[in-house]
């Protein structure tokens, strides 16, 4: 996050910040994107197409075009099994769901929707795809999640998950993006659709119980018996998101001592506290957005929240308040690789290049191989499917791991199991996850980690995204010789989309934002807060010199 914190940060959202839902939905239907304007075109980032209807970036035309592009991709790729369709609680998700279903039904796609027309978390869609496809060679399923993740209430999102259950890779998203933009340019000529009422009654649209199968399977990935037997007191805040109707069935089935602290669903998200920049954002890794649950930390042995599509987690401990996401990843890895005895003995630890190097040290202590990949959970899908990765995690509080028997659970991030894992750790270790982290890392040093944003033009972001490491001319980082300048991830050789610079006791990575005129600096020191500030200062100075030379 940036260093300039808004005065409203951590305070209840004032009325003037609340989105006018009626106007937002009217704008979704009434405004038409101009494909000659870059910001109004379909653009798939690491998590699909996102934007606000108010900015003419997420409107009916976008969704109709993207849905038809998905239908064409499926046909070309030979994907002819069911498509699992889910949505979250953002105001734009319901109309986008309707638009997508109109197209899917018109194209004869066998589409599975929630039987109650309810909300479906991202990991539940991934779980459904993988469960259906298990043992099949033909007729494979895929899915769509309509959600902008933790983004503000005026935004919408559309993500495609192919037959591997994880986020689509760049080849697929580029094909969908290009086809969708061609439809926009032709004013939707070639897009097939039928009215929503007919689509719901179409013989190719089927109602499905998403909640039951996912909830029943949880005991195969988390030790629910241990959680129940321990009586560990758990607090859960869905932050008004798609997991809201999953927690009571979980509590009831497994008879765990858990309390849902807020079960409200409101598209204005008026119950949120304001994030660092003065916006409402359902970011469960932000102490400002998590103010209410943090204030309850002494009422529970462990508490957690999920973002709006429940693919992220935020862990609150009595000993620390909101746990640093990197610390929890390291703690989860230490616990899982010690306690999951049926996993492959050579199953590796997966992390992104911008995640804490404490994970490297924990993996080394465990004697496990580390696989370091670019940002994006799609890079973990293959390893989770074949069991060569036991765990994949991102610094942005997203992760998933294998079933207890070593088989794949999800290939997308699963915030529900990461929250339940925190309860399992507390139950089995008799310490909250933060105290467990301190125990695990006592001999591994102390991490000082932060992500900040710095301004950058579109041209500068493009330059940074394709940077030649030789153009970064610094020889030292915070007084230490630079050991490595990386533009490709060590784990798979894929481009980072920026640069990572490593010295003995610290590192930084710089990557352009896909949606804002900033670049992100991820930095870590194993010496001190002051050393971290020096790293950040040297990082910005070095990147500025790169920008100034062009």
């Amino acid at each position: 996050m940036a260093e300039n914190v808004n005065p409203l940060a951590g305070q209840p959202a004032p009325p003037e910040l609340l989105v006018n839902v009626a106007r937002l939905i009217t704008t979704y239907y009434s405004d038409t994107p101009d494909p000659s304007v870059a910001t109004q075109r379909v653009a798939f980032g690491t998590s699909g197409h996102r934007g606000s209807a108010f900015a003419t970036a997420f409107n009916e035309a976008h969704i109709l075009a993207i849905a038809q592009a998905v239908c064409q991709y499926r046909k070309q790729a030979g994907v002819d099994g069911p498509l699992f369709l889910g949505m979250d609680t953002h105001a734009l998700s319901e109309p986008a769901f309707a638009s997508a279903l109109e197209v899917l039904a018109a194209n004869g796609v066998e589409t599975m929707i929630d039987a109650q027309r309810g909300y479906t978390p991202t990991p539940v869609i991934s779980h459904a795809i993988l469960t259906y496809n298990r043992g099949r060679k033909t007729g494979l399923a895929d899915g769509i999640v309509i959600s902008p993740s933790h983004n503000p209430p005026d935004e919408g999102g559309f993500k495609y998950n192919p037959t591997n259950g994880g986020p689509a890779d760049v080849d697929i998203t580029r094909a969908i993006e290009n086809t969708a933009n061609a439809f926009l340019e032709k004013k939707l000529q070639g897009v097939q659709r039928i009215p929503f009422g007919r689509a719901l009654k179409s013989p190719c649209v089927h109602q499905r119980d998403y909640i039951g199968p996912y909830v029943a399977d949880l005991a195969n990935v988390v030790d629910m018996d241990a959680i129940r037997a321990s009586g560990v007191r758990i607090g859960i805040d869905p932050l008004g998101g798609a997991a809201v109707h999953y927690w009571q069935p979980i509590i009831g089935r497994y008879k765990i001592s858990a309390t849902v602290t807020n079960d409200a669903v409101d598209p204005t998200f008026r119950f949120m506290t304001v994030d660092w920049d003065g916006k409402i954002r359902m970011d469960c890794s932000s102490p400002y957005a998590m103010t209410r649950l943090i204030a309850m930390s002494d009422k529970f042995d462990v508490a957690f929240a999920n973002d709006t599509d429940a693919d992220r987690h935020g862990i609150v401990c009595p000993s620390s308040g909101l746990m640093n996401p990197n610390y929890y990843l390291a703690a989860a890895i230490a616990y899982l690789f010690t306690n999951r005895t049926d996993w492959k003995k050579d199953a590796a630890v997966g992390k992104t290049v911008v995640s804490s190097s404490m994970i490297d040290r924990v993996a080394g202590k465990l004697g496990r191989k580390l696989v370091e990949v670019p940002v994006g959970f799609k890079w973990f899908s293959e390893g989770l499917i074949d069991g060569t990765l036991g765990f994949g995690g991102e610094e942005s509080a997203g992760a998933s791991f294998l079933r207890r028997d070593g088989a794949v659970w999800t290939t997308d991030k699963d915030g529900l199991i990461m929250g339940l894992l925190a309860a399992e750790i507390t139950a089995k270790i008799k310490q909250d996850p933060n105290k467990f982290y301190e125990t695990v890392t006592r001999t591994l040093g102390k991490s000082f980690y932060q992500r900040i944003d710095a301004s950058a033009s579109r041209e500068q972001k493009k330059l940074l995204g394709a940077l030649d490491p030789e153009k970064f001319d610094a020889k030292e980082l915070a007084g230490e010789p630079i050991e490595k300048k990386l533009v490709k991830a060590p784990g798979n050789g894929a481009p980072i989309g920026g640069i990572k610079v490593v010295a003995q006791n610290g590192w930084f990575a710089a990557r352009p934002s896909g949606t804002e005129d900033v670049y992100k600096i991820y930095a870590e020191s194993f010496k001190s807060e002051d050393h971290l500030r020096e790293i950040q200062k040297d990082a910005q100075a070095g990147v500025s010199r790169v920008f100034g030379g062009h």
Side-chain angles (χ1 to χ4, degrees), residues 28 32 36 190 214 227 262 273 322 383 405 456 463 500 517-518 549:
Y28 171 83
T32 302
S36 68
Y214 179 87
I227 296 172
N262 175 28
T273 48
L322 181 64
D405 66 0
L463 177 67
K500 182 173 183 177
D517 288 333
V518 298

Side-chain angles (χ1 to χ4, degrees), residues 310-323:
D311 68 346
R312 300 188 187 196
H313 57 271
I315 310 301
V316 175
C317 300
S319 66
S320 66
L322 181 64
M323 196 171 177

Side-chain angles (χ1 to χ4, degrees), residues 126 129-130 133 140-143 160-169 172 378 380-382 384-385 408 410-412:
S126 179
I129 294 168
L130 292 167
N133 288 345
L140 299 180
D142 56 359
Y160 176 65
N161 285 38
T163 58
N164 69 1
D169 67 28
I172 297 174
K378 63 189 177 186
F380 300 126
S381 296
E382 184 179 338
L384 290 169
I385 286 173
V408 63
T410 60
T411 47
D412 214 328

